[in-house]
mmCIF file of all heavy atoms in Angstrom:
data_model
loop_
_atom_site.group_PDB
_atom_site.id
_atom_site.type_symbol
_atom_site.label_atom_id
_atom_site.label_comp_id
_atom_site.label_asym_id
_atom_site.label_seq_id
_atom_site.Cartn_x
_atom_site.Cartn_y
_atom_site.Cartn_z
ATOM 1 N N MET T 198 118.258 95.089 71.624
ATOM 2 C CA MET T 198 117.845 94.038 72.624
ATOM 3 C C MET T 198 116.290 93.775 72.484
ATOM 4 O O MET T 198 115.905 92.645 72.696
ATOM 5 C CB MET T 198 118.285 94.429 73.992
ATOM 6 C CG MET T 198 119.798 94.417 74.212
ATOM 7 S SD MET T 198 120.635 92.794 73.810
ATOM 8 C CE MET T 198 119.855 91.741 75.032
ATOM 9 N N ALA T 201 116.011 91.217 69.880
ATOM 10 C CA ALA T 201 116.401 89.890 70.233
ATOM 11 C C ALA T 201 115.178 89.236 71.057
ATOM 12 O O ALA T 201 114.868 88.027 70.830
ATOM 13 C CB ALA T 201 117.602 89.936 71.225
ATOM 14 N N ALA T 202 114.517 90.050 71.875
ATOM 15 C CA ALA T 202 113.393 89.559 72.544
ATOM 16 C C ALA T 202 112.135 89.237 71.696
ATOM 17 O O ALA T 202 111.540 88.228 71.761
ATOM 18 C CB ALA T 202 112.975 90.536 73.694
ATOM 19 N N GLY T 205 112.215 86.119 69.980
ATOM 20 C CA GLY T 205 112.130 84.947 70.789
ATOM 21 C C GLY T 205 113.470 84.416 71.220
ATOM 22 O O GLY T 205 113.688 83.367 71.854
ATOM 23 N N LEU T 206 114.592 85.109 71.049
ATOM 24 C CA LEU T 206 115.936 84.727 71.466
ATOM 25 C C LEU T 206 116.031 84.913 72.995
ATOM 26 O O LEU T 206 115.508 85.681 73.579
ATOM 27 C CB LEU T 206 116.955 85.456 70.606
ATOM 28 C CG LEU T 206 116.880 85.283 69.097
ATOM 29 C CD1 LEU T 206 117.775 86.334 68.421
ATOM 30 C CD2 LEU T 206 117.389 83.928 68.759
ATOM 31 N N ASN T 207 117.044 84.058 73.417
ATOM 32 C CA ASN T 207 117.557 84.299 74.785
ATOM 33 C C ASN T 207 118.324 85.558 74.864
ATOM 34 O O ASN T 207 119.342 85.685 74.252
ATOM 35 C CB ASN T 207 118.422 83.074 75.096
ATOM 36 C CG ASN T 207 118.972 83.134 76.559
ATOM 37 O OD1 ASN T 207 119.604 84.133 77.002
ATOM 38 N ND2 ASN T 207 118.707 82.070 77.402
ATOM 39 N N THR T 208 117.854 86.563 75.660
ATOM 40 C CA THR T 208 118.414 87.870 75.609
ATOM 41 C C THR T 208 119.781 87.940 76.303
ATOM 42 O O THR T 208 120.576 88.658 75.999
ATOM 43 C CB THR T 208 117.469 88.852 76.210
ATOM 44 O OG1 THR T 208 116.874 88.391 77.414
ATOM 45 C CG2 THR T 208 116.431 89.163 75.221
ATOM 46 N N GLN T 209 119.909 87.033 77.355
ATOM 47 C CA GLN T 209 121.263 87.013 77.992
ATOM 48 C C GLN T 209 122.318 86.531 77.018
ATOM 49 O O GLN T 209 123.390 87.107 76.895
ATOM 50 C CB GLN T 209 121.209 86.061 79.184
ATOM 51 C CG GLN T 209 122.543 85.880 80.032
ATOM 52 C CD GLN T 209 122.954 87.224 80.610
ATOM 53 O OE1 GLN T 209 122.178 87.778 81.468
ATOM 54 N NE2 GLN T 209 124.094 87.711 80.262
ATOM 55 N N GLU T 210 121.962 85.445 76.276
ATOM 56 C CA GLU T 210 123.029 85.028 75.387
ATOM 57 C C GLU T 210 123.214 85.930 74.185
ATOM 58 O O GLU T 210 124.315 86.013 73.665
ATOM 59 C CB GLU T 210 122.541 83.481 74.828
ATOM 60 C CG GLU T 210 122.549 82.588 76.018
ATOM 61 C CD GLU T 210 122.495 81.135 75.671
ATOM 62 O OE1 GLU T 210 122.903 80.795 74.480
ATOM 63 O OE2 GLU T 210 122.154 80.281 76.511
ATOM 64 N N ALA T 211 122.019 86.493 73.820
ATOM 65 C CA ALA T 211 122.294 87.594 72.743
ATOM 66 C C ALA T 211 123.283 88.640 73.137
ATOM 67 O O ALA T 211 124.210 89.138 72.507
ATOM 68 C CB ALA T 211 120.992 88.232 72.408
ATOM 69 N N PHE T 212 123.087 89.138 74.488
ATOM 70 C CA PHE T 212 124.045 90.160 75.028
ATOM 71 C C PHE T 212 125.422 89.640 75.102
ATOM 72 O O PHE T 212 126.421 90.336 74.618
ATOM 73 C CB PHE T 212 123.494 90.549 76.412
ATOM 74 C CG PHE T 212 124.491 91.546 77.081
ATOM 75 C CD1 PHE T 212 124.828 92.750 76.466
ATOM 76 C CD2 PHE T 212 124.979 91.257 78.286
ATOM 77 C CE1 PHE T 212 125.667 93.708 77.045
ATOM 78 C CE2 PHE T 212 125.763 92.170 78.930
ATOM 79 C CZ PHE T 212 126.147 93.445 78.332
ATOM 80 N N ASP T 213 125.590 88.346 75.498
ATOM 81 C CA ASP T 213 126.974 87.759 75.695
ATOM 82 C C ASP T 213 127.640 87.708 74.259
ATOM 83 O O ASP T 213 128.810 88.007 74.141
ATOM 84 C CB ASP T 213 126.865 86.345 76.252
ATOM 85 C CG ASP T 213 126.384 86.464 77.734
ATOM 86 O OD1 ASP T 213 126.495 87.500 78.328
ATOM 87 O OD2 ASP T 213 126.002 85.427 78.191
ATOM 88 N N MET T 232 118.784 96.118 81.398
ATOM 89 C CA MET T 232 117.648 95.684 80.746
ATOM 90 C C MET T 232 117.269 94.189 81.163
ATOM 91 O O MET T 232 116.151 93.760 81.324
ATOM 92 C CB MET T 232 117.747 95.681 79.267
ATOM 93 C CG MET T 232 118.003 97.081 78.676
ATOM 94 S SD MET T 232 118.341 96.856 76.809
ATOM 95 C CE MET T 232 119.072 98.462 76.557
ATOM 96 N N LEU T 233 118.458 93.548 81.396
ATOM 97 C CA LEU T 233 118.275 92.092 81.706
ATOM 98 C C LEU T 233 117.971 91.820 83.133
ATOM 99 O O LEU T 233 117.330 90.924 83.436
ATOM 100 C CB LEU T 233 119.566 91.351 81.325
ATOM 101 C CG LEU T 233 120.054 91.464 79.910
ATOM 102 C CD1 LEU T 233 121.438 90.770 79.708
ATOM 103 C CD2 LEU T 233 118.973 90.791 78.922
ATOM 104 N N ASP T 234 118.359 92.689 83.996
ATOM 105 C CA ASP T 234 118.120 92.516 85.406
ATOM 106 C C ASP T 234 117.573 93.967 85.972
ATOM 107 O O ASP T 234 118.446 94.747 86.354
ATOM 108 C CB ASP T 234 119.332 92.096 86.216
ATOM 109 C CG ASP T 234 119.137 91.959 87.636
ATOM 110 O OD1 ASP T 234 118.021 92.157 88.148
ATOM 111 O OD2 ASP T 234 120.119 91.619 88.366
ATOM 112 N N PRO T 235 116.246 94.142 85.972
ATOM 113 C CA PRO T 235 115.774 95.464 86.454
ATOM 114 C C PRO T 235 115.977 95.749 87.885
ATOM 115 O O PRO T 235 115.624 96.834 88.412
ATOM 116 C CB PRO T 235 114.315 95.384 86.056
ATOM 117 C CG PRO T 235 114.015 94.121 85.190
ATOM 118 C CD PRO T 235 115.245 93.205 85.528
ATOM 119 N N SER T 236 116.357 94.700 88.679
ATOM 120 C CA SER T 236 116.622 94.878 90.035
ATOM 121 C C SER T 236 117.907 95.649 90.424
ATOM 122 O O SER T 236 118.133 96.140 91.476
ATOM 123 C CB SER T 236 116.711 93.557 90.839
ATOM 124 O OG SER T 236 117.960 92.982 90.554
ATOM 125 N N ASP T 300 107.981 93.887 79.163
ATOM 126 C CA ASP T 300 109.143 93.325 79.983
ATOM 127 C C ASP T 300 109.732 92.032 79.273
ATOM 128 O O ASP T 300 110.509 91.325 79.895
ATOM 129 C CB ASP T 300 108.455 92.706 81.324
ATOM 130 C CG ASP T 300 107.941 93.905 82.078
ATOM 131 O OD1 ASP T 300 108.512 94.983 82.157
ATOM 132 O OD2 ASP T 300 106.814 93.713 82.788
ATOM 133 N N LEU T 301 109.515 92.000 77.961
ATOM 134 C CA LEU T 301 110.004 90.839 77.261
ATOM 135 C C LEU T 301 111.533 90.690 77.289
ATOM 136 O O LEU T 301 111.916 89.567 77.299
ATOM 137 C CB LEU T 301 109.496 90.940 75.781
ATOM 138 C CG LEU T 301 109.439 89.510 75.075
ATOM 139 C CD1 LEU T 301 108.394 88.674 75.764
ATOM 140 C CD2 LEU T 301 109.059 89.790 73.562
ATOM 141 N N VAL T 302 112.242 91.743 77.267
ATOM 142 C CA VAL T 302 113.761 91.619 77.226
ATOM 143 C C VAL T 302 114.153 90.839 78.578
ATOM 144 O O VAL T 302 115.052 90.047 78.526
ATOM 145 C CB VAL T 302 114.411 92.960 77.169
ATOM 146 C CG1 VAL T 302 115.930 92.840 77.311
ATOM 147 C CG2 VAL T 302 114.039 93.604 75.749
ATOM 148 N N THR T 303 113.523 91.244 79.643
ATOM 149 C CA THR T 303 113.803 90.593 80.942
ATOM 150 C C THR T 303 113.323 89.092 80.882
ATOM 151 O O THR T 303 114.104 88.193 81.298
ATOM 152 C CB THR T 303 113.274 91.330 82.134
ATOM 153 O OG1 THR T 303 113.628 92.704 82.065
ATOM 154 C CG2 THR T 303 113.676 90.823 83.370
ATOM 155 N N GLU T 304 112.083 88.901 80.481
ATOM 156 C CA GLU T 304 111.564 87.649 80.466
ATOM 157 C C GLU T 304 112.311 86.654 79.659
ATOM 158 O O GLU T 304 112.526 85.440 80.050
ATOM 159 C CB GLU T 304 110.100 87.636 79.945
ATOM 160 C CG GLU T 304 109.101 88.389 80.845
ATOM 161 C CD GLU T 304 107.878 88.758 80.158
ATOM 162 O OE1 GLU T 304 107.538 88.152 79.069
ATOM 163 O OE2 GLU T 304 107.171 89.694 80.531
ATOM 164 N N GLN T 305 112.856 87.164 78.629
ATOM 165 C CA GLN T 305 113.613 86.206 77.634
ATOM 166 C C GLN T 305 115.033 85.840 78.057
ATOM 167 O O GLN T 305 115.676 85.187 77.278
ATOM 168 C CB GLN T 305 113.618 86.842 76.273
ATOM 169 C CG GLN T 305 112.177 87.107 75.630
ATOM 170 C CD GLN T 305 111.703 85.915 74.872
ATOM 171 O OE1 GLN T 305 110.543 85.539 75.034
ATOM 172 N NE2 GLN T 305 112.542 85.268 74.141
ATOM 173 N N VAL T 306 115.405 86.242 79.250
ATOM 174 C CA VAL T 306 116.682 85.929 79.764
ATOM 175 C C VAL T 306 116.860 84.466 79.848
ATOM 176 O O VAL T 306 117.842 83.861 79.793
ATOM 177 C CB VAL T 306 116.966 86.563 81.086
ATOM 178 C CG1 VAL T 306 118.095 85.985 81.903
ATOM 179 C CG2 VAL T 306 117.218 88.137 80.859
ATOM 180 N N LYS T 307 115.630 83.873 80.066
ATOM 181 C CA LYS T 307 115.659 82.302 80.225
ATOM 182 C C LYS T 307 115.055 81.541 79.063
ATOM 183 O O LYS T 307 114.728 80.407 79.042
ATOM 184 C CB LYS T 307 114.931 81.912 81.450
ATOM 185 C CG LYS T 307 115.834 82.343 82.702
ATOM 186 C CD LYS T 307 114.982 82.142 83.993
ATOM 187 C CE LYS T 307 115.755 82.662 85.195
ATOM 188 N NZ LYS T 307 114.935 82.959 86.338
ATOM 189 N N SER T 308 114.889 82.256 77.848
ATOM 190 C CA SER T 308 114.371 81.592 76.684
ATOM 191 C C SER T 308 115.326 80.517 76.318
ATOM 192 O O SER T 308 116.540 80.487 76.476
ATOM 193 C CB SER T 308 114.223 82.597 75.599
ATOM 194 O OG SER T 308 114.046 81.873 74.383
ATOM 195 N N SER T 309 114.594 79.420 75.831
ATOM 196 C CA SER T 309 115.441 78.288 75.347
ATOM 197 C C SER T 309 116.053 78.447 74.024
ATOM 198 O O SER T 309 116.908 77.665 73.588
ATOM 199 C CB SER T 309 114.535 76.992 75.394
ATOM 200 O OG SER T 309 113.503 77.226 74.551
ATOM 201 N N LYS T 310 115.578 79.471 73.236
ATOM 202 C CA LYS T 310 116.164 79.642 71.839
ATOM 203 C C LYS T 310 117.454 80.429 72.065
ATOM 204 O O LYS T 310 117.500 81.558 72.303
ATOM 205 C CB LYS T 310 115.151 80.503 71.106
ATOM 206 C CG LYS T 310 113.974 79.655 70.684
ATOM 207 C CD LYS T 310 113.150 80.424 69.726
ATOM 208 C CE LYS T 310 111.736 79.802 69.544
ATOM 209 N NZ LYS T 310 110.795 80.713 68.833
ATOM 210 N N THR T 311 118.564 79.715 71.992
ATOM 211 C CA THR T 311 119.709 80.218 72.406
ATOM 212 C C THR T 311 120.507 80.961 71.273
ATOM 213 O O THR T 311 121.300 81.904 71.661
ATOM 214 C CB THR T 311 120.702 79.115 72.986
ATOM 215 O OG1 THR T 311 120.920 78.142 71.979
ATOM 216 C CG2 THR T 311 120.119 78.544 74.227
ATOM 217 N N SER T 312 120.444 80.620 70.113
ATOM 218 C CA SER T 312 121.354 81.265 69.133
ATOM 219 C C SER T 312 120.595 81.744 67.868
ATOM 220 O O SER T 312 121.059 82.646 67.314
ATOM 221 C CB SER T 312 122.514 80.317 68.780
ATOM 222 O OG SER T 312 122.048 79.379 68.051
ATOM 223 N N PHE T 319 121.650 85.903 65.917
ATOM 224 C CA PHE T 319 122.397 86.970 66.678
ATOM 225 C C PHE T 319 123.081 87.927 65.658
ATOM 226 O O PHE T 319 123.126 89.151 65.941
ATOM 227 C CB PHE T 319 123.475 86.290 67.608
ATOM 228 C CG PHE T 319 122.854 85.674 68.765
ATOM 229 C CD1 PHE T 319 123.582 84.765 69.482
ATOM 230 C CD2 PHE T 319 121.539 85.959 69.269
ATOM 231 C CE1 PHE T 319 123.072 84.133 70.670
ATOM 232 C CE2 PHE T 319 121.032 85.327 70.394
ATOM 233 C CZ PHE T 319 121.775 84.465 71.072
#
Side-chain angles (χ1 to χ4, degrees):
Chain T
M198 291 306 297
L206 296 167
N207 179 308
T208 46
Q209 179 65 57
E210 299 198 18
F212 177 56
D213 293 342
M232 298 175 198
L233 301 177
D234 180 2
S236 74
D300 298 323
L301 202 63
V302 173
T303 308
E304 291 162 21
Q305 297 273 137
V306 163
K307 289 172 187 160
S308 166
S309 60
K310 287 185 192 165
T311 56
S312 69
F319 286 164

